Amino acid sequence: MARIYYKASVDDIRASFTWSTAPLSKRLPNPDRTQNRKKRKTRDVDDIREPDRQRLRLDIEIRGVRIKPAVRLGGRDVDLYVVNGGNEREFNGAGDNEEGERTANERAAKIYEQFFLDLIEEAPNRRSAQLGSYLSIPVDMRCELARPELLQTAELPFELAQYTVCTPEQWKMHFNRLFPETYDAAVKSPGRQNYGKCTYYNDYVALARAISGNALDRVRFALKVEFDKLVWVPYTQWDRIWSTKKMTTSTWKALPSGTKGGPLVGINPRRARERVTLRAFEQPREGDQLMADSEGEMDD
């Protein structure tokens, strides 16, 4: 038999008929996806601020609010916060150093500016890792566009979305979820996703802890004035900021028409008559992206 196959032995014959299996290349995730699955806290807007980017200012100035000295807490408050998705180190670290030296007005303005960056950083991705984010904003433009103006137009920055016009009660509900009414409510309600990872939320908890309840009411009033200028916000759930579940009731509309799925968006009832559309951005070509990447490597 070995002679027939020109092999020295039967073992050599077996070896020649053994299939070789080359390892399959691992499919890499789409680079356009947001990093919302990571457990780390979202980036601080001050750390990525361009030199020419002015700090956000609130229309209503918050005056006369006394900020208590920063204290490190333990026990029940920290336990509740960690159980609900927060981080103990961040809980005690928020409000220290530079944050602690700012006035309540400056801290509230920073929290509101940070809020928009966090919305972008936590924006949902499509289910498959090989597919990108639902965002239509190119990756290199996301930080720059993470400003109030992005939500002050009825052009939604997504490739796919579901929206409904909120009732006044629903609009207030979303504000209360994003900026809870009391310190206790803020500590107990980070939920399992989004809230506890958001830098703005951690900073809001720290500020709520450092001022009185009446002072927090004044902060929230100033924030609500800004919030009411927005055309849309994520249709929040109690346990998450963003949701992509498919809505089938008649009060919900899909973009593009006839599609299913996509981020849930709530429209400000004061802007109910505005025509809601999707906002398209010019996407970088693959060659342009490779050139940008190579230039970045040369700069390092």
Side-chain angles (χ1 to χ4, degrees):
M1 188 180 215
R3 291 179 181 177
I4 295 175
Y5 289 98
Y6 301 99
K7 301 294 181 183
S9 67
V10 174
D11 288 339
D12 290 340
I13 297 174
R14 290 196 185 100
S16 67
F17 281 91
T18 300
W19 293 96
S20 62
T21 56
L24 296 176
S25 59
K26 184 177 180 180
R27 299 180 69 187
L28 297 176
N30 191 303
D32 290 344
R33 294 174 72 80
T34 60
Q35 302 301 308
N36 60 8
R37 289 292 183 182
K38 291 189 176 181
K39 294 182 179 180
R40 58 156 178 79
K41 197 167 64 168
T42 54
R43 293 176 294 174
D44 192 304
V45 68
D46 282 344
D47 293 339
I48 61 173
R49 185 186 303 280
E50 296 293 334
D52 60 344
R53 178 167 175 164
Q54 298 296 316
R55 294 184 182 277
L56 186 145
R57 299 173 65 91
L58 303 178
D59 275 358
I60 295 182
E61 186 174 359
I62 306 164
R63 297 180 179 179
V65 172
R66 178 180 173 274
I67 298 180
K68 305 170 191 174
V71 293
R72 290 192 169 274
L73 300 185
R76 176 178 173 275
D77 285 337
V78 174
D79 290 343
L80 280 171
Y81 192 66
V82 172
V83 164
N84 285 290
N87 182 284
E88 180 175 352
R89 181 178 61 81
E90 293 162 359
F91 180 84
N92 271 318
D96 292 347
N97 304 325
E98 184 181 352
E99 279 300 303
E101 297 173 2
R102 290 175 172 168
T103 66
N105 188 70
E106 291 170 337
R107 287 175 68 169
K110 160 72 185 311
I111 287 167
Y112 195 61
E113 182 178 10
Q114 180 71 47
F115 168 67
F116 295 98
L117 177 62
D118 291 351
L119 289 187
I120 293 298
E121 294 223 328
E122 290 297 299
N125 294 310
R126 296 173 186 269
R127 180 167 296 182
S128 170
Q130 280 68 52
L131 298 177
S133 168
Y134 282 108
L135 288 169
S136 58
I137 309 172
V139 174
D140 61 350
M141 295 176 61
R142 290 175 186 172
C143 291
E144 175 61 25
L145 293 180
R147 303 171 186 249
E149 292 79 6
L150 185 67
L151 279 69
Q152 290 174 350
T153 170
E155 293 180 296
L156 308 181
F158 301 106
E159 296 178 352
L160 198 69
Q162 304 170 88
Y163 74 92
T164 187
V165 176
C166 294
T167 64
E169 292 75 21
Q170 288 171 332
W171 187 253
K172 183 179 179 181
M173 173 191 71
H174 294 308
F175 177 75
N176 289 342
R177 284 174 173 170
L178 295 165
F179 302 97
E181 297 178 76
T182 65
Y183 165 71
D184 286 340
V187 170
K188 295 175 184 177
S189 64
R192 292 189 295 274
Q193 293 186 29
N194 301 139
Y195 295 100
K197 292 195 302 179
C198 289
T199 296
Y200 98 86
Y201 197 90
N202 285 273
D203 290 348
Y204 182 80
V205 170
L207 179 59
R209 182 181 69 199
I211 61 179
S212 68
N214 289 337
L216 183 59
D217 290 341
R218 292 162 63 183
V219 168
R220 294 183 73 252
F221 178 80
L223 291 174
K224 184 63 160 56
V225 169
E226 303 296 330
F227 190 81
D228 285 342
K229 297 177 186 177
L230 305 178
V231 174
W232 64 272
V233 294
Y235 199 90
T236 62
Q237 311 295 306
W238 73 269
D239 63 339
R240 66 193 66 197
I241 293 176
W242 288 105
S243 175
T244 57
K245 63 183 179 182
K246 296 178 182 178
M247 307 301 288
T248 58
T249 59
S250 60
T251 57
W252 285 87
K253 295 182 180 179
L255 292 174
S257 179
T259 59
K260 295 181 180 180
L264 303 190
V265 169
I267 304 297
N268 187 338
R270 301 180 183 184
R271 311 293 286 272
R273 296 186 178 181
E274 295 198 26
R275 181 172 175 264
V276 182
T277 61
L278 295 178
R279 183 175 177 182
F281 293 84
E282 184 176 353
Q283 301 296 322
R285 293 174 298 179
E286 185 174 352
D288 295 339
Q289 187 61 49
L290 290 173
M291 180 66 71
D293 292 342
S294 63
E295 291 175 354
E297 291 173 1
M298 294 173 62
D299 292 339
D300 291 342

